[in-house]
Amino acid sequence: MSFLTRRKAIDLADAPEHGQKLHRTLSWPHLVGLGVGAIVGTGIYTLIGVGAERAGPAVILAFLIAGLVCVCVALAYAELATLIPASGSAYTYSYTVLGEAIAWLIGWSLILEYSVVCAAVAVGWSGYAVGFLQSAGINLPIELVAGPHAGGLINLPAILIVAAVAGMLLIGTRESASVNAFLVVFKVLALVIFIALTIPAFNSGNFEPFMPYGFAASEATGAAKGVMAAAAIIFFAFYGFDAVSTAAEETKNPGRDLTIGIIGSMVVCTALYMAVAAVAIGAMPFGEFAASGEPLAHVLRTLGHPQVAVFIGAVAVIALPTVILAFMYGQSRIYFVMARDGLLPQRLGSVNKRGVPVTVTVGTAVVVSAIAGFFPLSEIAELANAGTLAAFTAVGACLIILRLREPERPRVFRAPAFWVVGSLAIAGCLYLFASLPSLTQQRFLIWNVIGIAVYLAYGARKSRLATQAKQAALN
């Protein structure tokens, strides 16, 4: 059986007879909290400024486009996650539907996504943390709070928050999920307060011209501009729901809880994002807050709410780490299941008595810290989006193919109009990928070339399916 065609059986996706198992300790409130915690974060607290700079007031349209694409992907995820309730997210779905080689590339892309997302959020958190300390009269030297791109040496706060979140994950899955759910409440409350305080200052004139840089992405001026250029980076703000699917193997009632967790977190966050973007632009011309490292706090200070701005900053400092937690959690589970499948060294799949994969959690923290300490937010977020878009495209394809291949297989949740949902997910993700800066696309290509080399050198020969095939041939 060729590595191009061999697939994992759906009914054995979690491989109960091989390797170690994760503990089922999570219910739907934990999953909704995990999803909202992953989605609401740097994307709305920080990247709203980057998006406004690229699209002007039409950043609202960028939020809508990215949100609609993610809704289609979320529907596909909900069906696949309940049908294949095993860790690994898009990697596992690809392994059972598209084959091992494609699954490796998707897993490799997810490793990139989750690592870089954690780094991007850590950088965004650092911006709010430094601003909060400055409001309290504490000024840290630029050398220690910014990377070389911003005139500093190293972003030390970003590194420290990554280390703190890794420590929380090592405590245990249920404990860290409970802390996450508690912090998510404050993060959402801060956005609701922001909306309430900015509505009275709403000025419709701030929306004219609505689309100053056009619709399609363009780099004619040397910088990415246009609605799709904004959507390609704002997409970062939505895709935390896929971290929920990585918890499938640790969910008490996957059929019910995964559906609620994925769809529920998307509905809550899409509505919240649209409202925040609208009132932010209505309260202030987009150019005035677009360049700020803490745009929401900047808007409130300008409107005469300095104390609330401090509160927003404090909430961001306290609660943005929930995003890092959700994605570092997802990253460790991707490593875990790929190692269990033999595509990575099996020692990476070892878990401690609390059911936590210690080696990959610590290793992920080290890599994320290195990225967060030295690279700028926008470049990190764009690269994370590239990996995510690849995974989401595969999920849309898996939905369609599995419906055609096994239409009678029982499904706890069925995505409506699967042809439409799957096709829109694929087309939307490909268009968003095409709208990313060319340098980001090149970096993503290089990453996958390295991935193919690693797979051919190790995974193609060492995978569990390859080993089984060799044993069958000998017998």
Side-chain angles (χ1 to χ4, degrees):
M1 182 168 53
S2 169
F3 67 85
L4 293 174
T5 58
R6 60 190 179 219
R7 301 195 308 266
K8 188 192 302 185
I10 291 178
D11 295 327
L12 299 177
D14 60 348
E17 76 280 14
H18 293 281
Q20 300 189 57
K21 293 282 291 179
L22 299 171
H23 300 166
R24 294 192 180 276
T25 58
L26 304 178
S27 54
W28 70 262
H30 291 115
L31 297 182
V32 172
L34 184 67
V36 175
I39 298 171
V40 178
T42 296
I44 191 64
Y45 275 88
T46 302
L47 287 180
I48 184 175
V50 178
E53 182 181 20
R54 296 185 176 190
V59 67
I60 294 178
L61 183 57
F63 269 110
L64 178 61
I65 292 170
L68 288 176
V69 172
C70 284
V71 166
C72 291
V73 177
L75 290 170
Y77 259 103
E79 176 169 325
L80 293 170
T82 53
L83 184 64
I84 310 171
S87 285
S89 185
Y91 157 78
T92 295
Y93 313 149
S94 298
Y95 209 159
T96 60
V97 179
L98 303 177
E100 185 178 281
I102 298 298
W104 166 266
L105 289 176
I106 297 306
W108 192 249
S109 294
L110 287 172
I111 289 173
L112 175 69
E113 171 201 343
Y114 287 178
S115 297
V116 181
V117 165
C118 292
V121 177
V123 173
W125 177 87
S126 177
Y128 271 95
V130 172
F132 178 74
L133 291 175
Q134 288 175 343
S135 67
I138 302 174
N139 293 300
L140 300 176
I142 185 66
E143 292 80 7
L144 298 181
V145 297
H149 63 280
L153 294 177
I154 187 171
N155 194 331
L156 189 58
I159 292 175
L160 292 177
I161 193 59
V162 170
V165 171
M168 188 183 302
L169 281 172
L170 292 174
I171 294 174
T173 299
R174 182 180 178 86
E175 292 80 2
S176 57
S178 298
V179 172
N180 172 75
F182 177 76
L183 294 177
V184 163
V185 172
F186 287 94
K187 191 162 54 174
V188 173
L189 177 63
L191 293 179
V192 172
I193 293 174
F194 175 83
I195 293 171
L197 291 178
T198 50
I199 286 178
F202 190 90
N203 178 7
S204 60
N206 291 338
F207 288 84
E208 299 176 1
F210 180 69
M211 201 181 298
Y213 308 116
F215 181 81
S218 172
E219 297 181 59
T221 61
K225 295 289 185 180
V227 173
M228 287 308 301
I233 192 168
I234 280 176
F235 174 77
F236 181 96
F238 283 94
Y239 58 64
F241 65 85
D242 68 328
V244 175
S245 66
T246 67
E249 200 171 317
E250 293 161 274
T251 302
K252 294 178 180 178
N253 186 348
R256 180 198 66 184
D257 296 343
L258 286 172
T259 303
I260 296 174
I262 293 172
I263 303 299
S265 58
M266 272 300 299
V267 170
V268 170
C269 294
T270 299
L272 196 59
Y273 277 9
M274 297 296 293
V276 170
V279 297
I281 294 173
M284 178 183 296
F286 72 91
E288 295 185 20
F289 68 81
S292 174
E294 40 170 358
L296 301 189
H298 177 78
V299 170
L300 289 173
R301 279 195 297 267
T302 305
L303 293 179
H305 302 292
Q307 294 180 336
V308 181
V310 171
F311 171 71
I312 293 288
V315 169
V317 169
I318 295 172
L320 279 186
T322 61
V323 184
I324 306 175
L325 184 148
F327 280 100
M328 194 175 291
Y329 169 91
Q331 167 74 300
S332 65
R333 270 53 184 178
I334 296 296
Y335 270 119
F336 170 83
V337 73
M338 290 181 74
R340 190 171 62 183
D341 288 336
L343 292 172
L344 291 172
Q346 293 192 6
R347 62 178 177 274
L348 296 179
S350 62
V351 299
N352 64 10
K353 62 182 180 180
R354 291 178 174 269
V356 178
V358 176
T359 302
V360 295
T361 299
V362 174
T364 297
V366 172
V367 173
V368 170
S369 296
I371 298 172
F374 298 101
F375 291 93
L377 175 61
S378 59
E379 291 186 15
I380 297 173
E382 287 166 345
L383 191 56
N385 285 358
T388 307
L389 288 167
F392 282 9
T393 300
V395 169
C398 287
L399 172 70
I400 294 173
I401 293 171
L402 199 55
R403 280 286 193 98
L404 296 176
R405 182 185 294 161
E406 301 188 42
E408 302 303 321
R409 178 175 285 274
R411 288 166 169 83
V412 177
F413 173 82
R414 299 177 70 90
F418 76 93
W419 267 113
V420 176
V421 169
S423 298
L424 286 177
I426 294 170
C429 288
L430 292 177
Y431 190 23
L432 286 171
F433 184 86
S435 300
L436 288 169
S438 56
L439 180 59
T440 300
Q441 296 172 356
Q442 293 166 12
R443 288 170 174 169
F444 181 69
L445 176 62
I446 293 171
W447 172 257
N448 277 285
V449 169
I450 296 172
I452 292 172
V454 173
Y455 174 68
L456 293 176
Y458 185 88
R461 296 181 298 106
K462 297 287 189 178
S463 75
R464 198 172 72 213
L465 292 186
T467 302
Q468 291 174 349
K470 291 177 183 177
Q471 291 175 345
L474 292 175
N475 295 333

